[in-house]
């Protein structure tokens, strides 16, 4: 009586592992992108709070991240902050995806304005991107 695996048993095992990996890897990638997206959201929320503080002190909104005491890039470098549409009473903050985060086609770039209205440029809904 011989012990061990036959070639067929081994090939079936390899095929099952391949199928499981093909299912799991895209889910893992989506999980990583969603995790990185929180960095962009946090950066925008921080910038919005700093904009309101800046407005209280200067009676106008800041037009650069430096005026808010922030860097242009998020801590891990997944997003770049830009401030646009600055008027006496409005501003628009945009977190532009960069590096590996540019593969996030569902949400891509995130946005936030002075009224707290959230936006995105990808294919998913705003509610899905900002959760």
């Amino acid at each position: 009586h011989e012990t061990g695996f036959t070639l067929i048993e081994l090939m079936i095992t390899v095929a099952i592992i391949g199928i499981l990996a093909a299912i799991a890897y895209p889910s893992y990638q989506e999980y990583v992108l969603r995790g990185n997206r929180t960095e962009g959201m946090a950066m925008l929320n921080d910038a919005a709070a700093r904009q309101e503080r800046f407005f209280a002190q200067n009676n106008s909104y800041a037009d650069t991240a430096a005026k808010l005491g922030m860097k242009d890039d998020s801590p891990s470098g997944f997003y770049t902050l830009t401030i646009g549409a600055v008027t006496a009473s409005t501003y628009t903050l945009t977190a532009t995806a960069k590096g590996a985060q540019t593969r996030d086609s569902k949400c891509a770039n995130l946005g936030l304005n002075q009224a707290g209205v959230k936006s995105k440029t990808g294919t998913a809904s705003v509610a899905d991107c900002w959760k």
Side-chain angles (χ1 to χ4, degrees):
H1 180 76
E2 302 258 344
T3 59
F5 296 107
T6 66
L7 183 59
I8 293 294
E9 291 170 329
L10 188 60
M11 293 305 291
I12 290 171
T13 304
V14 168
I16 290 171
I17 291 171
I19 291 168
L20 290 175
I23 293 169
Y25 188 67
S27 295
Y28 171 74
Q29 283 183 311
E30 174 61 29
Y31 176 78
V32 169
L33 291 174
R34 192 174 68 226
N36 293 345
R37 199 178 303 139
T38 60
E39 183 171 295
M41 289 184 281
M43 180 178 66
L44 290 176
N45 286 323
D46 183 31
R50 290 174 186 240
Q51 278 285 35
E52 296 308 323
R53 191 174 321 121
F54 188 90
F55 186 86
Q57 295 170 346
N58 301 291
N59 203 29
S60 66
Y61 288 115
D63 57 357
T64 66
K67 288 182 182 177
L68 296 176
M70 296 179 72
K71 294 181 179 178
D72 288 335
D73 291 336
S74 60
S76 297
F78 295 123
Y79 289 92
T80 299
L81 175 67
T82 53
I83 302 171
V86 177
T87 68
S89 60
T90 64
Y91 65 83
T92 301
L93 303 170
T94 305
T96 305
K98 64 183 226 176
Q101 199 62 18
T102 58
R103 292 191 303 259
D104 185 8
S105 61
K106 287 186 176 183
C107 296
N109 303 331
L110 303 171
L112 185 63
N113 70 12
Q114 79 289 341
V117 176
K118 299 167 181 171
S119 62
K120 50 76 190 171
T121 60
T123 58
S125 71
V126 172
D128 286 340
C129 291
W130 280 86
K131 64 178 178 181

